Structure formats: C-alpha cells, structure tokens
Amino acid sequence: MNFAKPIQRIVAYIIDYVICHIPSVILAVLLFIYVPSLKWYYILLLSFLLYWLSFIVFNSFFLFVSNGFTLGGLIAKVRVVRSHLERLQYRDAFVRAASLGLLIMVIVNVFYMLIVHTERTIFDRISDTIVISYQKNKL
C-alpha cells in the first residue's frame, strides 16, 4: 500500500476548500449588497456556516459515490479508502467530511502531523480510513 504524499493531500484539500468556498463568498457578497442593515459578523457567520455545510455535502457525496475520490483528490491523484481496502461507507465519508470541514480541526491536524510523523491524520483515525496514491496502486 502506497500512502499519499503530504503535498498530494494538501493540494487535494486546497482544491476542495476553494470549490466549497465559492457559494459562501457569493452569499456574503449578496447579503452585503442586498441586506445592508445586517451586521458584518452575521454575514461572516452565515458564510462560514454555508461553507461548512457545502463542504460536508460536496465531499461526503463525492467520497461515497466515487468510492474515495473528491474533485481535489482526482486532480492530486489521491484516494480515500477504508483501512482494509473495503468500499467506503457513507458514514465514513460523512464523518471525514464533517471533521475536515472545520478549520480548527485542520490546524490541530497540522500540529499532530508535525509532532507524530505519521501517514494517518486525525481525520483518517476518526473515520477509520487511509489516503493512498492511486497513481502507483492503479486502484
């Protein structure tokens, strides 16, 4: 089994992150223009909430339907699989997407990866998955 390189994982995450931020930025701009009486911190809160929900829906849907790929994963050539290379269940995809969508969890994960020096992140352990490079495994 060939674990994905950290740079591949980062590229995949950034692509998914940017794609899921598009609806929240559009919402923030529309609220700012059409509801000027709404306070800026409410707009920011609503846009973060929309981002998190869109990240969960987008990633859990793609992870489950494509059996481990997201759009960022396809571009970066990484795949999320269960620990024993079984088919990814929706529960695992949802838990992974919900935890990965929280920015504070991503920051905690960065420190965890630097301290522990492991291929499995906190998100991998929570959802009992691993991220592999499918370029070399041909999966």
Side-chain angles (χ1 to χ4, degrees), residues 48-80:
F48 277 133
L49 183 61
L50 181 63
Y51 155 72
W52 189 56
L53 291 174
S54 65
F55 193 90
I56 292 171
V57 170
F58 175 77
N59 279 338
S60 62
F61 174 76
F62 275 101
L63 280 172
F64 180 69
V65 170
S66 66
N67 194 18
F69 296 106
T70 62
L71 188 57
L74 283 172
I75 294 169
K77 300 190 183 318
V78 296
R79 179 179 177 202
V80 178

PDB file of all heavy atoms in Angstrom, residues 48-80:
ATOM      1  N   PHE A  48     -19.611  31.306   6.821  1.00  0.00           N
ATOM      2  CA  PHE A  48     -18.851  30.162   7.342  1.00  0.00           C
ATOM      3  C   PHE A  48     -19.749  28.937   7.498  1.00  0.00           C
ATOM      4  O   PHE A  48     -19.335  27.819   7.212  1.00  0.00           O
ATOM      5  CB  PHE A  48     -18.195  30.496   8.679  1.00  0.00           C
ATOM      6  CG  PHE A  48     -16.902  31.226   8.550  1.00  0.00           C
ATOM      7  CD1 PHE A  48     -16.663  32.346   9.320  1.00  0.00           C
ATOM      8  CD2 PHE A  48     -15.927  30.807   7.659  1.00  0.00           C
ATOM      9  CE1 PHE A  48     -15.462  33.035   9.206  1.00  0.00           C
ATOM     10  CE2 PHE A  48     -14.734  31.481   7.539  1.00  0.00           C
ATOM     11  CZ  PHE A  48     -14.500  32.601   8.318  1.00  0.00           C
ATOM     12  N   LEU A  49     -20.972  29.147   7.954  1.00  0.00           N
ATOM     13  CA  LEU A  49     -21.913  28.042   8.095  1.00  0.00           C
ATOM     14  C   LEU A  49     -22.239  27.423   6.736  1.00  0.00           C
ATOM     15  O   LEU A  49     -22.255  26.201   6.583  1.00  0.00           O
ATOM     16  CB  LEU A  49     -23.193  28.511   8.787  1.00  0.00           C
ATOM     17  CG  LEU A  49     -24.238  27.444   9.054  1.00  0.00           C
ATOM     18  CD1 LEU A  49     -23.689  26.365   9.979  1.00  0.00           C
ATOM     19  CD2 LEU A  49     -25.490  28.062   9.649  1.00  0.00           C
ATOM     20  N   LEU A  50     -22.461  28.271   5.737  1.00  0.00           N
ATOM     21  CA  LEU A  50     -22.724  27.762   4.389  1.00  0.00           C
ATOM     22  C   LEU A  50     -21.517  27.028   3.837  1.00  0.00           C
ATOM     23  O   LEU A  50     -21.646  25.989   3.193  1.00  0.00           O
ATOM     24  CB  LEU A  50     -23.135  28.885   3.449  1.00  0.00           C
ATOM     25  CG  LEU A  50     -23.450  28.442   2.024  1.00  0.00           C
ATOM     26  CD1 LEU A  50     -24.651  27.496   2.010  1.00  0.00           C
ATOM     27  CD2 LEU A  50     -23.686  29.626   1.128  1.00  0.00           C
ATOM     28  N   TYR A  51     -20.309  27.547   4.104  1.00  0.00           N
ATOM     29  CA  TYR A  51     -19.103  26.849   3.655  1.00  0.00           C
ATOM     30  C   TYR A  51     -19.028  25.460   4.261  1.00  0.00           C
ATOM     31  O   TYR A  51     -18.786  24.481   3.571  1.00  0.00           O
ATOM     32  CB  TYR A  51     -17.835  27.637   4.024  1.00  0.00           C
ATOM     33  CG  TYR A  51     -16.637  26.733   4.148  1.00  0.00           C
ATOM     34  CD1 TYR A  51     -16.056  26.179   3.017  1.00  0.00           C
ATOM     35  CD2 TYR A  51     -16.139  26.362   5.388  1.00  0.00           C
ATOM     36  CE1 TYR A  51     -14.987  25.303   3.126  1.00  0.00           C
ATOM     37  CE2 TYR A  51     -15.081  25.502   5.504  1.00  0.00           C
ATOM     38  CZ  TYR A  51     -14.512  24.970   4.371  1.00  0.00           C
ATOM     39  OH  TYR A  51     -13.480  24.091   4.479  1.00  0.00           O
ATOM     40  N   TRP A  52     -19.233  25.362   5.572  1.00  0.00           N
ATOM     41  CA  TRP A  52     -19.118  24.073   6.246  1.00  0.00           C
ATOM     42  C   TRP A  52     -20.152  23.090   5.720  1.00  0.00           C
ATOM     43  O   TRP A  52     -19.840  21.931   5.453  1.00  0.00           O
ATOM     44  CB  TRP A  52     -19.246  24.258   7.753  1.00  0.00           C
ATOM     45  CG  TRP A  52     -18.925  23.044   8.543  1.00  0.00           C
ATOM     46  CD1 TRP A  52     -17.763  22.324   8.517  1.00  0.00           C
ATOM     47  CD2 TRP A  52     -19.775  22.365   9.474  1.00  0.00           C
ATOM     48  NE1 TRP A  52     -17.832  21.266   9.386  1.00  0.00           N
ATOM     49  CE2 TRP A  52     -19.061  21.274   9.985  1.00  0.00           C
ATOM     50  CE3 TRP A  52     -21.062  22.603   9.932  1.00  0.00           C
ATOM     51  CZ2 TRP A  52     -19.595  20.403  10.922  1.00  0.00           C
ATOM     52  CZ3 TRP A  52     -21.587  21.742  10.870  1.00  0.00           C
ATOM     53  CH2 TRP A  52     -20.866  20.652  11.358  1.00  0.00           C
ATOM     54  N   LEU A  53     -21.390  23.550   5.544  1.00  0.00           N
ATOM     55  CA  LEU A  53     -22.431  22.668   5.016  1.00  0.00           C
ATOM     56  C   LEU A  53     -22.128  22.243   3.580  1.00  0.00           C
ATOM     57  O   LEU A  53     -22.308  21.080   3.214  1.00  0.00           O
ATOM     58  CB  LEU A  53     -23.799  23.353   5.098  1.00  0.00           C
ATOM     59  CG  LEU A  53     -24.346  23.552   6.501  1.00  0.00           C
ATOM     60  CD1 LEU A  53     -25.636  24.362   6.462  1.00  0.00           C
ATOM     61  CD2 LEU A  53     -24.561  22.228   7.194  1.00  0.00           C
ATOM     62  N   SER A  54     -21.664  23.181   2.760  1.00  0.00           N
ATOM     63  CA  SER A  54     -21.341  22.809   1.380  1.00  0.00           C
ATOM     64  C   SER A  54     -20.144  21.868   1.333  1.00  0.00           C
ATOM     65  O   SER A  54     -20.090  20.961   0.500  1.00  0.00           O
ATOM     66  CB  SER A  54     -21.096  24.051   0.516  1.00  0.00           C
ATOM     67  OG  SER A  54     -19.970  24.753   0.951  1.00  0.00           O
ATOM     68  N   PHE A  55     -19.188  22.042   2.224  1.00  0.00           N
ATOM     69  CA  PHE A  55     -18.036  21.142   2.277  1.00  0.00           C
ATOM     70  C   PHE A  55     -18.483  19.732   2.649  1.00  0.00           C
ATOM     71  O   PHE A  55     -18.041  18.752   2.049  1.00  0.00           O
ATOM     72  CB  PHE A  55     -17.013  21.657   3.300  1.00  0.00           C
ATOM     73  CG  PHE A  55     -15.674  20.978   3.205  1.00  0.00           C
ATOM     74  CD1 PHE A  55     -14.701  21.492   2.376  1.00  0.00           C
ATOM     75  CD2 PHE A  55     -15.394  19.840   3.932  1.00  0.00           C
ATOM     76  CE1 PHE A  55     -13.463  20.879   2.285  1.00  0.00           C
ATOM     77  CE2 PHE A  55     -14.164  19.219   3.838  1.00  0.00           C
ATOM     78  CZ  PHE A  55     -13.198  19.745   3.012  1.00  0.00           C
ATOM     79  N   ILE A  56     -19.364  19.626   3.643  1.00  0.00           N
ATOM     80  CA  ILE A  56     -19.859  18.312   4.053  1.00  0.00           C
ATOM     81  C   ILE A  56     -20.626  17.644   2.917  1.00  0.00           C
ATOM     82  O   ILE A  56     -20.376  16.481   2.582  1.00  0.00           O
ATOM     83  CB  ILE A  56     -20.758  18.429   5.303  1.00  0.00           C
ATOM     84  CG1 ILE A  56     -19.937  18.831   6.517  1.00  0.00           C
ATOM     85  CG2 ILE A  56     -21.473  17.111   5.578  1.00  0.00           C
ATOM     86  CD1 ILE A  56     -20.779  19.179   7.722  1.00  0.00           C
ATOM     87  N   VAL A  57     -21.545  18.374   2.312  1.00  0.00           N
ATOM     88  CA  VAL A  57     -22.358  17.793   1.235  1.00  0.00           C
ATOM     89  C   VAL A  57     -21.484  17.417   0.046  1.00  0.00           C
ATOM     90  O   VAL A  57     -21.563  16.303  -0.474  1.00  0.00           O
ATOM     91  CB  VAL A  57     -23.480  18.769   0.811  1.00  0.00           C
ATOM     92  CG1 VAL A  57     -24.168  18.307  -0.451  1.00  0.00           C
ATOM     93  CG2 VAL A  57     -24.483  18.942   1.943  1.00  0.00           C
ATOM     94  N   PHE A  58     -20.650  18.336  -0.410  1.00  0.00           N
ATOM     95  CA  PHE A  58     -19.807  18.116  -1.579  1.00  0.00           C
ATOM     96  C   PHE A  58     -18.862  16.935  -1.375  1.00  0.00           C
ATOM     97  O   PHE A  58     -18.806  16.006  -2.182  1.00  0.00           O
ATOM     98  CB  PHE A  58     -19.016  19.399  -1.878  1.00  0.00           C
ATOM     99  CG  PHE A  58     -18.014  19.267  -2.984  1.00  0.00           C
ATOM    100  CD1 PHE A  58     -18.425  19.269  -4.300  1.00  0.00           C
ATOM    101  CD2 PHE A  58     -16.662  19.174  -2.704  1.00  0.00           C
ATOM    102  CE1 PHE A  58     -17.505  19.147  -5.331  1.00  0.00           C
ATOM    103  CE2 PHE A  58     -15.734  19.065  -3.711  1.00  0.00           C
ATOM    104  CZ  PHE A  58     -16.155  19.051  -5.035  1.00  0.00           C
ATOM    105  N   ASN A  59     -18.113  16.959  -0.278  1.00  0.00           N
ATOM    106  CA  ASN A  59     -17.112  15.912  -0.062  1.00  0.00           C
ATOM    107  C   ASN A  59     -17.717  14.569   0.288  1.00  0.00           C
ATOM    108  O   ASN A  59     -17.263  13.534  -0.201  1.00  0.00           O
ATOM    109  CB  ASN A  59     -16.116  16.335   1.002  1.00  0.00           C
ATOM    110  CG  ASN A  59     -15.052  17.242   0.439  1.00  0.00           C
ATOM    111  OD1 ASN A  59     -14.803  17.245  -0.754  1.00  0.00           O
ATOM    112  ND2 ASN A  59     -14.435  18.009   1.288  1.00  0.00           N
ATOM    113  N   SER A  60     -18.728  14.544   1.158  1.00  0.00           N
ATOM    114  CA  SER A  60     -19.305  13.243   1.508  1.00  0.00           C
ATOM    115  C   SER A  60     -19.987  12.610   0.298  1.00  0.00           C
ATOM    116  O   SER A  60     -19.888  11.404   0.091  1.00  0.00           O
ATOM    117  CB  SER A  60     -20.281  13.363   2.680  1.00  0.00           C
ATOM    118  OG  SER A  60     -21.368  14.192   2.358  1.00  0.00           O
ATOM    119  N   PHE A  61     -20.648  13.422  -0.518  1.00  0.00           N
ATOM    120  CA  PHE A  61     -21.289  12.889  -1.728  1.00  0.00           C
ATOM    121  C   PHE A  61     -20.250  12.311  -2.682  1.00  0.00           C
ATOM    122  O   PHE A  61     -20.366  11.163  -3.123  1.00  0.00           O
ATOM    123  CB  PHE A  61     -22.090  13.989  -2.425  1.00  0.00           C
ATOM    124  CG  PHE A  61     -22.651  13.579  -3.748  1.00  0.00           C
ATOM    125  CD1 PHE A  61     -23.766  12.762  -3.810  1.00  0.00           C
ATOM    126  CD2 PHE A  61     -22.063  13.996  -4.925  1.00  0.00           C
ATOM    127  CE1 PHE A  61     -24.281  12.368  -5.037  1.00  0.00           C
ATOM    128  CE2 PHE A  61     -22.566  13.615  -6.147  1.00  0.00           C
ATOM    129  CZ  PHE A  61     -23.687  12.793  -6.215  1.00  0.00           C
ATOM    130  N   PHE A  62     -19.225  13.081  -2.996  1.00  0.00           N
ATOM    131  CA  PHE A  62     -18.206  12.600  -3.933  1.00  0.00           C
ATOM    132  C   PHE A  62     -17.402  11.438  -3.370  1.00  0.00           C
ATOM    133  O   PHE A  62     -17.063  10.508  -4.098  1.00  0.00           O
ATOM    134  CB  PHE A  62     -17.280  13.733  -4.372  1.00  0.00           C
ATOM    135  CG  PHE A  62     -17.812  14.515  -5.522  1.00  0.00           C
ATOM    136  CD1 PHE A  62     -18.404  15.743  -5.319  1.00  0.00           C
ATOM    137  CD2 PHE A  62     -17.751  14.007  -6.805  1.00  0.00           C
ATOM    138  CE1 PHE A  62     -18.910  16.468  -6.376  1.00  0.00           C
ATOM    139  CE2 PHE A  62     -18.261  14.713  -7.876  1.00  0.00           C
ATOM    140  CZ  PHE A  62     -18.840  15.951  -7.662  1.00  0.00           C
ATOM    141  N   LEU A  63     -17.082  11.474  -2.090  1.00  0.00           N
ATOM    142  CA  LEU A  63     -16.340  10.360  -1.493  1.00  0.00           C
ATOM    143  C   LEU A  63     -17.129   9.065  -1.582  1.00  0.00           C
ATOM    144  O   LEU A  63     -16.578   8.008  -1.882  1.00  0.00           O
ATOM    145  CB  LEU A  63     -16.006  10.654  -0.027  1.00  0.00           C
ATOM    146  CG  LEU A  63     -14.814  11.546   0.241  1.00  0.00           C
ATOM    147  CD1 LEU A  63     -14.742  11.899   1.714  1.00  0.00           C
ATOM    148  CD2 LEU A  63     -13.531  10.896  -0.212  1.00  0.00           C
ATOM    149  N   PHE A  64     -18.422   9.135  -1.312  1.00  0.00           N
ATOM    150  CA  PHE A  64     -19.238   7.920  -1.322  1.00  0.00           C
ATOM    151  C   PHE A  64     -19.529   7.433  -2.742  1.00  0.00           C
ATOM    152  O   PHE A  64     -19.313   6.262  -3.053  1.00  0.00           O
ATOM    153  CB  PHE A  64     -20.554   8.151  -0.576  1.00  0.00           C
ATOM    154  CG  PHE A  64     -21.432   6.943  -0.553  1.00  0.00           C
ATOM    155  CD1 PHE A  64     -21.077   5.827   0.187  1.00  0.00           C
ATOM    156  CD2 PHE A  64     -22.604   6.905  -1.278  1.00  0.00           C
ATOM    157  CE1 PHE A  64     -21.874   4.696   0.206  1.00  0.00           C
ATOM    158  CE2 PHE A  64     -23.410   5.786  -1.265  1.00  0.00           C
ATOM    159  CZ  PHE A  64     -23.048   4.683  -0.526  1.00  0.00           C
ATOM    160  N   VAL A  65     -19.978   8.325  -3.606  1.00  0.00           N
ATOM    161  CA  VAL A  65     -20.367   7.929  -4.963  1.00  0.00           C
ATOM    162  C   VAL A  65     -19.165   7.440  -5.772  1.00  0.00           C
ATOM    163  O   VAL A  65     -19.248   6.448  -6.493  1.00  0.00           O
ATOM    164  CB  VAL A  65     -21.086   9.088  -5.684  1.00  0.00           C
ATOM    165  CG1 VAL A  65     -21.281   8.801  -7.153  1.00  0.00           C
ATOM    166  CG2 VAL A  65     -22.419   9.367  -5.010  1.00  0.00           C
ATOM    167  N   SER A  66     -18.045   8.114  -5.643  1.00  0.00           N
ATOM    168  CA  SER A  66     -16.870   7.739  -6.434  1.00  0.00           C
ATOM    169  C   SER A  66     -15.954   6.770  -5.703  1.00  0.00           C
ATOM    170  O   SER A  66     -14.863   6.488  -6.182  1.00  0.00           O
ATOM    171  CB  SER A  66     -16.091   8.988  -6.816  1.00  0.00           C
ATOM    172  OG  SER A  66     -15.557   9.586  -5.662  1.00  0.00           O
ATOM    173  N   ASN A  67     -16.392   6.286  -4.547  1.00  0.00           N
ATOM    174  CA  ASN A  67     -15.639   5.323  -3.744  1.00  0.00           C
ATOM    175  C   ASN A  67     -14.250   5.838  -3.367  1.00  0.00           C
ATOM    176  O   ASN A  67     -13.237   5.193  -3.586  1.00  0.00           O
ATOM    177  CB  ASN A  67     -15.535   3.969  -4.444  1.00  0.00           C
ATOM    178  CG  ASN A  67     -15.079   2.888  -3.496  1.00  0.00           C
ATOM    179  OD1 ASN A  67     -15.149   3.027  -2.292  1.00  0.00           O
ATOM    180  ND2 ASN A  67     -14.596   1.783  -4.046  1.00  0.00           N
ATOM    181  N   GLY A  68     -14.213   7.050  -2.799  1.00  0.00           N
ATOM    182  CA  GLY A  68     -12.973   7.535  -2.233  1.00  0.00           C
ATOM    183  C   GLY A  68     -12.328   8.716  -2.910  1.00  0.00           C
ATOM    184  O   GLY A  68     -11.272   9.167  -2.482  1.00  0.00           O
ATOM    185  N   PHE A  69     -12.933   9.246  -3.950  1.00  0.00           N
ATOM    186  CA  PHE A  69     -12.346  10.385  -4.651  1.00  0.00           C
ATOM    187  C   PHE A  69     -13.174  11.641  -4.406  1.00  0.00           C
ATOM    188  O   PHE A  69     -14.391  11.578  -4.321  1.00  0.00           O
ATOM    189  CB  PHE A  69     -12.309  10.145  -6.164  1.00  0.00           C
ATOM    190  CG  PHE A  69     -11.446   9.006  -6.575  1.00  0.00           C
ATOM    191  CD1 PHE A  69     -12.011   7.819  -6.992  1.00  0.00           C
ATOM    192  CD2 PHE A  69     -10.074   9.117  -6.551  1.00  0.00           C
ATOM    193  CE1 PHE A  69     -11.219   6.762  -7.375  1.00  0.00           C
ATOM    194  CE2 PHE A  69      -9.272   8.053  -6.938  1.00  0.00           C
ATOM    195  CZ  PHE A  69      -9.850   6.875  -7.352  1.00  0.00           C
ATOM    196  N   THR A  70     -12.509  12.770  -4.284  1.00  0.00           N
ATOM    197  CA  THR A  70     -13.161  14.067  -4.378  1.00  0.00           C
ATOM    198  C   THR A  70     -12.616  14.722  -5.634  1.00  0.00           C
ATOM    199  O   THR A  70     -11.713  14.176  -6.277  1.00  0.00           O
ATOM    200  CB  THR A  70     -12.859  14.957  -3.154  1.00  0.00           C
ATOM    201  OG1 THR A  70     -11.457  15.199  -3.108  1.00  0.00           O
ATOM    202  CG2 THR A  70     -13.338  14.324  -1.870  1.00  0.00           C
ATOM    203  N   LEU A  71     -13.132  15.885  -5.970  1.00  0.00           N
ATOM    204  CA  LEU A  71     -12.604  16.563  -7.154  1.00  0.00           C
ATOM    205  C   LEU A  71     -11.129  16.904  -6.959  1.00  0.00           C
ATOM    206  O   LEU A  71     -10.306  16.701  -7.850  1.00  0.00           O
ATOM    207  CB  LEU A  71     -13.422  17.826  -7.442  1.00  0.00           C
ATOM    208  CG  LEU A  71     -13.113  18.524  -8.747  1.00  0.00           C
ATOM    209  CD1 LEU A  71     -13.300  17.578  -9.921  1.00  0.00           C
ATOM    210  CD2 LEU A  71     -13.986  19.732  -8.911  1.00  0.00           C
ATOM    211  N   GLY A  72     -10.792  17.376  -5.778  1.00  0.00           N
ATOM    212  CA  GLY A  72      -9.386  17.651  -5.480  1.00  0.00           C
ATOM    213  C   GLY A  72      -8.545  16.386  -5.476  1.00  0.00           C
ATOM    214  O   GLY A  72      -7.393  16.382  -5.896  1.00  0.00           O
ATOM    215  N   GLY A  73      -9.129  15.295  -5.000  1.00  0.00           N
ATOM    216  CA  GLY A  73      -8.429  14.012  -4.990  1.00  0.00           C
ATOM    217  C   GLY A  73      -8.150  13.486  -6.384  1.00  0.00           C
ATOM    218  O   GLY A  73      -7.106  12.876  -6.630  1.00  0.00           O
ATOM    219  N   LEU A  74      -9.082  13.708  -7.293  1.00  0.00           N
ATOM    220  CA  LEU A  74      -8.856  13.290  -8.679  1.00  0.00           C
ATOM    221  C   LEU A  74      -7.707  14.063  -9.315  1.00  0.00           C
ATOM    222  O   LEU A  74      -6.882  13.488 -10.022  1.00  0.00           O
ATOM    223  CB  LEU A  74     -10.133  13.485  -9.506  1.00  0.00           C
ATOM    224  CG  LEU A  74     -11.224  12.457  -9.308  1.00  0.00           C
ATOM    225  CD1 LEU A  74     -12.487  12.878 -10.024  1.00  0.00           C
ATOM    226  CD2 LEU A  74     -10.764  11.102  -9.805  1.00  0.00           C
ATOM    227  N   ILE A  75      -7.663  15.355  -9.044  1.00  0.00           N
ATOM    228  CA  ILE A  75      -6.602  16.179  -9.616  1.00  0.00           C
ATOM    229  C   ILE A  75      -5.245  15.850  -8.981  1.00  0.00           C
ATOM    230  O   ILE A  75      -4.235  15.743  -9.673  1.00  0.00           O
ATOM    231  CB  ILE A  75      -6.942  17.668  -9.458  1.00  0.00           C
ATOM    232  CG1 ILE A  75      -8.177  17.990 -10.319  1.00  0.00           C
ATOM    233  CG2 ILE A  75      -5.770  18.555  -9.836  1.00  0.00           C
ATOM    234  CD1 ILE A  75      -8.779  19.347 -10.069  1.00  0.00           C
ATOM    235  N   ALA A  76      -5.239  15.652  -7.660  1.00  0.00           N
ATOM    236  CA  ALA A  76      -3.979  15.370  -6.954  1.00  0.00           C
ATOM    237  C   ALA A  76      -3.624  13.884  -6.960  1.00  0.00           C
ATOM    238  O   ALA A  76      -2.584  13.498  -6.446  1.00  0.00           O
ATOM    239  CB  ALA A  76      -4.068  15.856  -5.513  1.00  0.00           C
ATOM    240  N   LYS A  77      -4.502  13.054  -7.518  1.00  0.00           N
ATOM    241  CA  LYS A  77      -4.288  11.609  -7.639  1.00  0.00           C
ATOM    242  C   LYS A  77      -4.176  10.912  -6.279  1.00  0.00           C
ATOM    243  O   LYS A  77      -3.251  10.142  -6.030  1.00  0.00           O
ATOM    244  CB  LYS A  77      -3.079  11.301  -8.498  1.00  0.00           C
ATOM    245  CG  LYS A  77      -3.205  11.832  -9.911  1.00  0.00           C
ATOM    246  CD  LYS A  77      -2.123  11.315 -10.795  1.00  0.00           C
ATOM    247  CE  LYS A  77      -2.140  11.856 -12.186  1.00  0.00           C
ATOM    248  NZ  LYS A  77      -3.360  11.999 -12.863  1.00  0.00           N
ATOM    249  N   VAL A  78      -5.140  11.228  -5.402  1.00  0.00           N
ATOM    250  CA  VAL A  78      -5.220  10.546  -4.112  1.00  0.00           C
ATOM    251  C   VAL A  78      -6.627   9.996  -3.931  1.00  0.00           C
ATOM    252  O   VAL A  78      -7.588  10.515  -4.490  1.00  0.00           O
ATOM    253  CB  VAL A  78      -4.856  11.467  -2.918  1.00  0.00           C
ATOM    254  CG1 VAL A  78      -3.423  11.905  -2.999  1.00  0.00           C
ATOM    255  CG2 VAL A  78      -5.781  12.646  -2.816  1.00  0.00           C
ATOM    256  N   ARG A  79      -6.699   8.945  -3.156  1.00  0.00           N
ATOM    257  CA  ARG A  79      -7.970   8.263  -2.920  1.00  0.00           C
ATOM    258  C   ARG A  79      -8.083   7.922  -1.443  1.00  0.00           C
ATOM    259  O   ARG A  79      -7.114   7.493  -0.823  1.00  0.00           O
ATOM    260  CB  ARG A  79      -8.027   6.990  -3.751  1.00  0.00           C
ATOM    261  CG  ARG A  79      -9.283   6.203  -3.564  1.00  0.00           C
ATOM    262  CD  ARG A  79      -9.272   4.984  -4.445  1.00  0.00           C
ATOM    263  NE  ARG A  79     -10.466   4.203  -4.186  1.00  0.00           N
ATOM    264  CZ  ARG A  79     -10.580   2.931  -4.450  1.00  0.00           C
ATOM    265  NH1 ARG A  79      -9.568   2.284  -4.993  1.00  0.00           N
ATOM    266  NH2 ARG A  79     -11.688   2.291  -4.194  1.00  0.00           N
ATOM    267  N   VAL A  80      -9.284   8.072  -0.906  1.00  0.00           N
ATOM    268  CA  VAL A  80      -9.562   7.715   0.476  1.00  0.00           C
ATOM    269  C   VAL A  80     -10.178   6.319   0.469  1.00  0.00           C
ATOM    270  O   VAL A  80     -11.154   6.070  -0.240  1.00  0.00           O
ATOM    271  CB  VAL A  80     -10.543   8.710   1.128  1.00  0.00           C
ATOM    272  CG1 VAL A  80     -10.852   8.302   2.546  1.00  0.00           C
ATOM    273  CG2 VAL A  80      -9.984  10.120   1.081  1.00  0.00           C
TER     274      VAL A  80
END
